Amino acid sequence: MTINFKSYIPFFAGIVLLFAACSKNDDYAVPTPKNQLQNDCIKRSLGPNVVGGYIEFAYAMAIPKAKGKLVSAQVEASIPGGAGTYLENRSFYTNSSGVDVPVKIGDPSVTNGNVTTTNFTVDTNAATLRFFYQAPDAARGKQVSFTFTAKSSNGETVTYKMGPYSVSKMDMALDLGVTDADSSYISIADMKVYRRSQPVDPAKIDLIYMYRTFTTVTYKHALVAPAAPKDYLTDFVVPAGATNDVRLVKAFNLRDQQLARLPYGIFIDDPDFLAQDFTNTPDYFLNIKQEAGAWIETADGKYRAYIYFNVVDDTKKRMTISIKRYTMK
Amino acid sequence: MKKYIIISALFMACISILSGCKKDDTPVDEDGLLITTRTDCYVSNFELLGPDFQTVRSKAPVIDTAAGTINQEVLYGTDLRSVWPQFSLAQDCKLNPKVTGKTDFSDLANPRQYTVISGNRQIRKTYKVIITVQTR
């Protein structure tokens, strides 16, 4: 009898594999902390970065006590931020009740061009500072990135790069009040509400807000274009020269977090405006409900907007609205 | 011994080939839907949604199977150019034409017609959807 050794090769290979699978894992070792100045950063704000809005970061830095203390923290943005840009001079910790408690670590930050600096005035070797970058108009449609730097008393310096982050092209206006009594005219071009009692350029009136009740039908809160059928304008006297005819698509359950400031993870960004289809859509919206919304295209096609209805008050015949607007042309 | 193993392997292969060739006796139609023996053929409910996917009905529909009509009143101000009809049908039925999205119901003088086809695909019932809008 002859033994064919080749036929046993798979068997031996299997045995080797079994032993390899059973090899003991190395013991876990607690990592040794770095004995130097260190830093870390996270982006806290969510959703699209809108011009005028804030991009928020939390920048943490620490050095072993024996090595020294923190001296300064600074952030350099690739595009200088708006007037509201600042680096916190308070470090926060969360107490047992879940409340963020501030501890002052220095003077308020100073911004020079695109660099924002906070100098430490207390003897501390660990801090987490929040940075609020107000997106300027210069950053619209562009990308912005940040370099965070911390310095310690022993001369060490560490940096942490964040971004790039895209800044949206769209604009945002929050909490505009409209009333049936007076503040009835909405201008998408200006992102403003105009009063009936004051002179207003009729060409700027894109929508008219009114509140009406009828016994036979439900009308209540309504947005109607000046050029809408007379039936939907009811008894409202449209100013002479107001002929804008916006297109409008109703939306429900589209509670943009930045407009609603409610805990829904929905964000409307630039591409959403481009995706809307305004073919065969009306120029009025009757019986508006709170937390609903409407996509709008202006008569000249220059702007598309999303209006969110924050508050709808039957008793006072008023609404609070917030708008995101995208310039098409 | 080897001979028996080969024979049993061949036997098993034959069985699997034969079972694989078994004729499927559950017919399906051109849409891939199962054709059954059911003869029920009617619309049990009708819904109409606006662009925000909220109902635009002001009251429940009146469905007359004998007359083949669905009478539906919608809210004042409803824009009927882009509404989304939804039909509830008897079991195994299907609808022709298919509802594929927003539909224009604005031509009130010429109501849209939909045909229900029974589960056995032998019975057809056409319904006329008559929309009326609330008036002020």
Side-chain angles (χ1 to χ4, degrees):
Chain A
M1 185 179 137
T2 50
I3 298 170
N4 184 4
F5 286 104
K6 281 184 182 174
S7 63
Y8 287 94
I9 288 173
F11 173 75
F12 285 118
I15 295 288
V16 169
L17 273 174
L18 277 174
F19 276 103
C22 295
S23 70
K24 190 168 175 286
N25 281 335
D26 292 335
D27 288 333
Y28 173 75
V30 177
T32 313
K34 291 178 187 171
N35 192 25
Q36 62 189 47
L37 176 65
Q38 293 179 75
N39 63 355
D40 199 356
C41 190
I42 57 165
K43 182 171 177 283
R44 277 173 58 86
S45 53
L46 297 173
N49 306 307
V50 185
V51 172
Y54 288 92
I55 310 175
E56 185 187 347
F57 299 90
Y59 180 52
M61 64 219 93
I63 185 169
K65 199 173 180 181
K67 302 275 282 184
K69 61 180 183 179
L70 297 172
V71 172
S72 69
Q74 78 166 41
V75 190
E76 184 177 351
S78 58
I79 300 170
T85 299
Y86 70 101
L87 181 61
E88 269 285 5
N89 63 332
R90 298 171 300 168
S91 185
F92 287 85
Y93 70 91
T94 308
N95 68 9
S96 56
S97 307
V99 178
D100 285 353
V101 181
V103 178
K104 193 178 176 189
I105 53 86
D107 297 325
S109 64
V110 178
T111 300
N112 276 320
N114 55 347
V115 178
T116 305
T117 310
T118 292
N119 291 312
F120 285 74
T121 55
V122 296
D123 187 355
T124 184
N125 61 323
T128 300
L129 302 184
R130 292 177 189 179
F131 175 60
F132 296 86
Y133 176 80
Q134 190 179 35
D137 203 43
R140 187 188 299 278
K142 295 179 184 168
Q143 291 196 318
V144 61
S145 52
F146 304 91
T147 305
F148 291 80
T149 306
K151 288 180 183 170
S152 60
S153 60
N154 64 347
E156 283 187 75
T157 301
V158 283
T159 59
Y160 203 104
K161 289 188 181 297
M162 295 291 281
Y165 303 102
S166 297
V167 177
S168 300
K169 285 184 179 176
M170 64 184 173
D171 295 291
M172 189 165 70
L174 300 176
D175 300 329
L176 304 173
V178 289
T179 61
D180 181 57
D182 194 14
S183 303
S184 303
Y185 301 140
I186 299 170
S187 168
I188 301 296
D190 293 353
M191 302 269 281
K192 281 184 179 171
V193 173
Y194 291 107
R195 291 168 178 268
R196 291 211 307 271
S197 56
Q198 292 176 341
V200 57
D201 179 0
K204 289 193 171 181
I205 302 173
D206 290 311
L207 285 165
I208 296 165
Y209 166 72
M210 66 185 88
Y211 179 90
R212 301 284 186 275
T213 50
F214 301 100
T215 51
T216 50
V217 298
T218 309
Y219 190 97
K220 289 191 160 183
H221 304 266
L223 289 179
V224 187
K230 295 286 178 201
D231 198 31
Y232 299 123
L233 285 159
T234 65
D235 58 344
F236 195 93
V237 180
V238 179
T243 55
N244 283 337
D245 196 13
V246 301
R247 293 289 134 197
L248 201 145
V249 179
K250 292 182 195 177
F252 200 74
N253 278 338
L254 184 53
R255 290 166 284 203
D256 177 272
Q257 196 178 88
Q258 290 171 315
L259 298 178
R261 284 144 286 161
L262 293 172
Y264 300 106
I266 301 171
F267 294 96
I268 293 169
D269 205 350
D270 294 351
D272 299 311
F273 294 98
L274 301 172
Q276 291 307 310
D277 181 11
F278 290 91
T279 313
N280 281 340
T281 55
D283 46 10
Y284 56 89
F285 186 167
L286 313 182
N287 192 22
I288 292 170
K289 302 278 174 55
Q290 188 161 313
E291 297 189 13
W295 295 96
I296 313 267
E297 185 179 61
T298 54
D300 56 6
K302 188 177 178 185
Y303 299 107
R304 284 185 179 181
Y306 181 74
I307 299 184
Y308 176 78
F309 308 113
N310 300 82
V311 178
V312 173
D313 189 337
D314 288 7
T315 314
K316 294 179 180 172
K317 300 178 182 178
R318 66 171 189 92
M319 294 199 304
T320 303
I321 62 172
S322 296
I323 305 174
K324 274 186 175 179
R325 184 197 67 177
Y326 184 84
T327 306
M328 299 290 289
K329 297 175 183 172
Chain B
M1 181 66 186
K2 198 175 175 185
K3 192 171 72 178
Y4 290 119
I5 293 171
I6 291 168
I7 289 168
S8 49
L10 281 173
F11 183 69
M12 293 297 287
C14 286
I15 288 176
S16 7
I17 288 165
L18 284 177
S19 63
C21 295
K22 190 182 171 192
K23 191 173 174 286
D24 196 353
D25 55 359
T26 51
V28 292
D29 64 10
E30 67 278 8
D31 294 320
L33 299 172
L34 198 63
I35 299 173
T36 65
T37 55
R38 290 182 186 278
T39 54
D40 295 339
C41 186
Y42 59 89
V43 173
S44 57
N45 194 21
F46 178 73
E47 176 62 278
L48 209 53
L49 302 177
D52 53 356
F53 302 106
Q54 301 298 299
T55 186
V56 295
R57 298 186 320 182
S58 59
K59 56 174 74 166
V62 179
I63 302 169
D64 189 335
T65 300
T69 56
I70 299 171
N71 281 282
Q72 180 63 64
E73 185 188 80
V74 297
L75 295 166
Y76 173 73
T78 300
D79 181 51
L80 289 169
R81 288 174 296 177
S82 55
V83 285
W84 198 309
Q86 291 181 339
F87 296 82
S88 300
L89 307 178
Q91 193 170 351
D92 297 342
C93 289
K94 69 174 190 176
L95 197 68
N96 185 42
K98 296 180 183 73
V99 176
T100 54
K102 285 168 187 163
T103 310
D104 189 347
F105 279 86
S106 60
D107 188 359
L108 299 179
N110 297 296
R112 285 188 168 273
Q113 295 193 13
Y114 290 87
T115 301
V116 184
I117 305 166
S118 66
N120 65 3
R121 305 293 183 258
Q122 301 298 310
I123 303 166
R124 289 169 170 264
K125 180 81 187 169
T126 300
Y127 286 83
K128 197 181 277 187
V129 181
I130 302 161
I131 307 282
T132 50
V133 183
Q134 273 186 327
T135 49
R136 189 150 62 83

